[in-house]
Amino acid sequence: MEILLAVIVGAAFGFILQRIGASNPHNIINMLRLTDLHLMKAILFGISIASALLFVGLALGAINPSHLDVKTSYWGVLAGGIFMGLAWPLTGYCPSTGMAALGDGRKDALFFVLGGLVAAYLYMLAYGQLQGSALLAKILGGNVTLALTPDSSYPALISGIPGFIPALVVAIVLGVVAWKLPGRRA
Amino acid sequence: MTGQWNWFTGGIALGVVFLLAVFLVKPIGVSTQFVIFDGIVWNALSDNLITKRPSAKSGYASTNAYLNKSGGKYSKNVMNPINYSFIFVLSMVLGAFLSAKTGGPQPTASDRIAPAVWRSRFGEGGTKRYVVSFTGGVVLLFGARLAGGVHERAYDERHHADLNQRLSLCNRGLPCRDTARYPDIRAEIGEV
């Protein structure tokens, strides 16, 4: 059953990435050069809708909180983010859109994915050395959230307000930004 | 480009598919599956990379520290490639293919080698683009793994609670699943 869901939801995600133009590195590169913001509008709007509905769903008990894990904050997140930020505009691909671009028949995406497989191997070899280093040292205690979530094993930085309030604020801000950003120049 | 959804339709579609994934199973994650793919290849070429280990949370252990982390959960996925996350990522390729074939934006033959914005600056040739795509892929995925999580605290706490319960059953002489592996469990919860 889970495998059937993987096929359906995975194919839907790939379909949507292709259909919004995210599998085309031309659109990603121009988004990051700030010359064509239509993808940025779509992405911010998507995050806005998903975060609002997710936290309302959690608050109402409609979504099982055990489906979610709070990721650990550590210095490697910042360092890794810098690497990703350097290579994303260079290639026009991220892991998801690179996979979708394979379905588009893009040869440069094949080279991107091959490079990614080499990197994953290098990281597997390096991980033993990285363990215990400052790069993997936790920030703010590691698995913290901004506000309280239904899973009380995660401490919140701001106690006393339910998690869906900051989530709704984030959703509204991103929704407004998505709305106001200029679209594609004709 | 023709066939492309506008930002409003696209944003709703993205939001709905993220939410659907979380509601049904768990959030979408792609870069971990690059590790799983490598693990499958590596394990096929190696005699002892991954072994069964009943006392590990996943039932598997690895000589590689990364595949062994969090109770060997990556090792388990390598040994069972037909799992949700791996099939999800493979299905993305299929979904994008279906979109392109059913009226989605169509790349030209030149677009399939390098995007227009690249060609206008660096020309039509593919080699330079392929080298940059490959190198960028290395940098980006290394960064993604570095940022991708080290230690799932909640996971480990649940795991230790489970082990402690089993251990206390064994200690009281009650039926427990792991009597034979008793020293192993003790080592794992740090009681040795």
Side-chain angles (χ1 to χ4, degrees):
Chain A
M1 183 58 197
E2 236 186 24
I3 299 304
L4 186 66
L5 289 178
V7 173
I8 294 169
V9 185
F13 185 45
F15 188 98
I16 292 165
L17 287 177
Q18 206 280 344
R19 208 40 85 95
I20 65 173
S23 63
N24 183 351
H26 180 80
N27 293 332
I28 300 278
I29 292 169
N30 279 342
M31 172 182 81
L32 297 172
R33 296 165 81 211
L34 306 179
T35 58
D36 177 1
L37 300 183
H38 91 277
L39 257 187
M40 195 185 290
K41 288 161 76 81
I43 293 166
L44 294 179
F45 192 43
I47 298 171
S48 166
I49 292 172
S51 73
L53 294 179
L54 171 65
F55 276 84
V56 170
L58 283 171
L60 296 175
I63 292 173
N64 185 344
S66 77
H67 289 188
L68 296 153
D69 241 347
V70 174
K71 295 269 185 182
T72 313
S73 309
Y74 56 96
W75 296 105
V77 176
L78 301 179
I82 291 171
F83 284 138
M84 294 175 78
L86 286 172
W88 193 28
L90 208 58
T91 59
Y93 290 124
C94 69
S96 302
T97 65
M99 294 307 292
L102 291 182
D104 252 355
R106 291 178 190 271
K107 295 192 199 84
D108 54 351
L110 191 61
F111 283 89
F112 171 81
V113 170
L114 287 173
L117 290 171
V118 168
Y121 180 63
L122 293 176
Y123 192 75
M124 286 158 87
L125 296 181
Y127 185 73
Q129 302 296 314
L130 290 174
Q131 272 180 317
S133 77
L135 261 182
L136 301 193
K138 289 176 181 179
I139 305 172
L140 295 171
N143 303 63
V144 291
T145 57
L146 207 52
L148 289 169
T149 61
D151 188 338
S152 57
S153 65
Y154 298 116
L157 288 180
I158 311 165
S159 53
I161 54 166
F164 71 87
I165 291 177
L168 285 180
V169 171
V170 167
I172 291 167
V173 169
L174 292 185
V176 169
V177 171
W179 196 278
K180 291 290 177 193
L181 281 176
R184 170 167 292 171
R185 292 181 202 155
Chain B
M1 195 180 278
T2 56
Q4 197 168 295
W5 286 342
N6 64 35
W7 68 270
F8 192 81
T9 311
I12 290 175
L14 273 181
V16 168
V17 80
F18 290 152
L19 196 74
L20 194 66
V22 174
F23 176 72
L24 293 171
V25 187
K26 60 177 175 177
I28 293 169
V30 175
S31 70
T32 307
Q33 303 315 309
F34 283 65
V35 173
I36 303 304
F37 185 91
D38 284 353
I40 293 167
V41 175
W42 189 359
N43 191 49
L45 302 174
S46 161
D47 295 332
N48 60 352
L49 179 67
I50 296 171
T51 46
K52 286 200 170 178
R53 184 170 164 215
S55 68
K57 175 74 176 176
S58 73
Y60 294 93
S62 175
T63 51
N64 177 264
Y66 199 53
L67 291 176
N68 199 43
K69 86 179 181 91
S70 303
K73 70 174 181 178
Y74 291 165
S75 296
K76 184 184 179 187
N77 287 345
V78 167
M79 296 300 271
N80 304 281
I82 312 293
N83 65 73
Y84 175 83
S85 302
F86 197 64
I87 296 300
F88 184 101
V89 172
L90 294 183
S91 301
M92 288 171 59
V93 182
L94 174 72
F97 177 80
L98 290 177
S99 171
K101 291 293 166 209
T102 57
Q106 285 289 332
T108 63
S110 304
D111 289 339
R112 290 202 171 93
I113 294 166
V117 62
W118 172 281
R119 300 200 308 274
S120 69
R121 178 160 300 201
F122 299 109
E124 297 285 327
T127 312
K128 201 190 283 182
R129 171 65 182 164
Y130 298 155
V131 170
V132 170
S133 293
F134 180 86
T135 314
V138 174
V139 175
L140 200 149
L141 260 296
F142 194 88
R145 285 296 82 212
L146 185 55
V150 275
H151 204 75
E152 290 80 357
R153 188 191 62 110
Y155 174 91
D156 278 358
E157 275 181 7
R158 276 181 228 132
H159 178 37
H160 283 192
D162 182 43
L163 285 173
N164 272 316
Q165 195 196 346
R166 281 198 249 161
L167 186 62
S168 83
L169 287 175
C170 294
N171 278 338
R172 283 182 283 148
L174 295 167
C176 63
R177 271 193 289 151
D178 289 289
T179 317
R181 287 183 293 272
Y182 181 68
D184 216 17
I185 298 176
R186 284 177 56 119
E188 211 167 321
I189 60 172
E191 279 200 5
V192 168

